């Protein structure tokens, strides 16, 4: 096989990969938007302008930017764990559960502390409704129904 033919085939292969990547990106964007419309919920940081439109069914929440889908690092609250909790949609409602991991200076393993309307969330998690006040660290959060905005 000649070098020209080899380069031509390689170029066609690269073009196909780039085209597939673009199509995949567009499809993921369409799916995110469809989930956002279906879930029509926003995660709000109360007393702040920070918010996240929920467009997936599973989120890890905490300070660590690389590991968390909803990073709360910008709040500067060291009482929120690097990985503090998990938020998910079970098909009917959103639920939240504390993360089990190393905490404090002694690095002992325990569940992070999450409150819903002042009541501690058990390790297995709890259902959250729009308007419930969620407390993690020194900050308060809320789920907001955005269905009326559409």
């Amino acid at each position: 096989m000649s070098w020209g033919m080899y380069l031509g085939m390689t170029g066609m292969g690269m073009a196909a990969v780039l085209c597939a990547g673009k199509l995949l990106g567009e499809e993921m964007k369409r799916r995110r938007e469809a989930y956002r419309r279906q879930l029509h919920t926003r995660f709000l940081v109360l007393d702040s302008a920070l918010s996240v439109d929920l467009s997936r069914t599973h989120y890890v929440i905490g300070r660590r930017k690389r590991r968390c889908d909803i990073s709360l690092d910008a709040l500067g609250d060291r009482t929120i764990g690097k990985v503090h909790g998990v938020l998910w949609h079970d098909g009917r409602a959103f639920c939240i559960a504390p993360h089990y991991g190393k905490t404090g200076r002694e690095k002992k393993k325990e569940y992070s502390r999450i409150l819903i309307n002042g009541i501690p969330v058990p390790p297995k998690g709890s259902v959250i409704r729009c308007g419930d006040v969620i407390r993690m660290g020194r900050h308060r959060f809320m789920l907001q129904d955005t269905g009326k905005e559409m």
Side-chain angles (χ1 to χ4, degrees), residues 24-147:
L24 179 62
E26 290 171 3
E27 176 63 20
M28 288 178 70
K29 192 175 184 179
R30 277 195 295 272
R31 287 183 184 197
R32 255 192 319 272
E33 182 59 26
Y35 267 123
R36 190 187 66 74
R37 282 193 310 273
Q38 182 181 7
L39 297 173
H40 55 79
T41 304
R42 183 176 293 138
F43 183 80
L44 296 172
V45 180
L46 297 179
D47 305 323
S48 171
L50 298 174
S51 68
V52 176
D53 284 326
L54 301 179
S55 59
R56 299 189 331 227
T57 57
H58 186 270
Y59 290 89
V60 176
I61 303 171
R63 286 190 344 256
R64 182 173 270 168
K65 289 180 184 177
R66 284 183 161 175
R67 188 150 178 223
C68 297
D69 305 303
I70 299 175
S71 174
L72 304 174
D73 188 48
L75 298 174
D77 186 351
R78 304 286 293 172
T79 60
I80 294 175
K82 289 179 182 175
V83 176
H84 200 89
V86 178
L87 176 71
W88 74 94
H89 194 274
D90 68 359
R92 290 171 277 135
F94 275 98
C95 303
I96 194 165
H99 178 260
Y100 183 75
K102 295 177 182 176
T103 62
R105 289 182 181 264
E106 294 130 23
K107 299 294 183 194
K108 62 181 180 178
K109 281 197 159 198
E110 58 186 38
Y111 285 97
S112 56
R113 187 166 165 84
I114 300 176
L115 304 172
I116 298 177
N117 298 327
I119 300 169
V121 175
K124 66 179 174 124
S126 184
V127 172
I128 312 171
R129 290 174 181 47
C130 289
D132 286 347
V133 176
I134 306 156
R135 180 174 282 285
M136 290 184 276
R138 293 186 303 265
H139 285 83
R140 297 177 307 133
F141 308 87
M142 182 184 290
L143 293 183
Q144 177 187 34
D145 185 354
T146 58

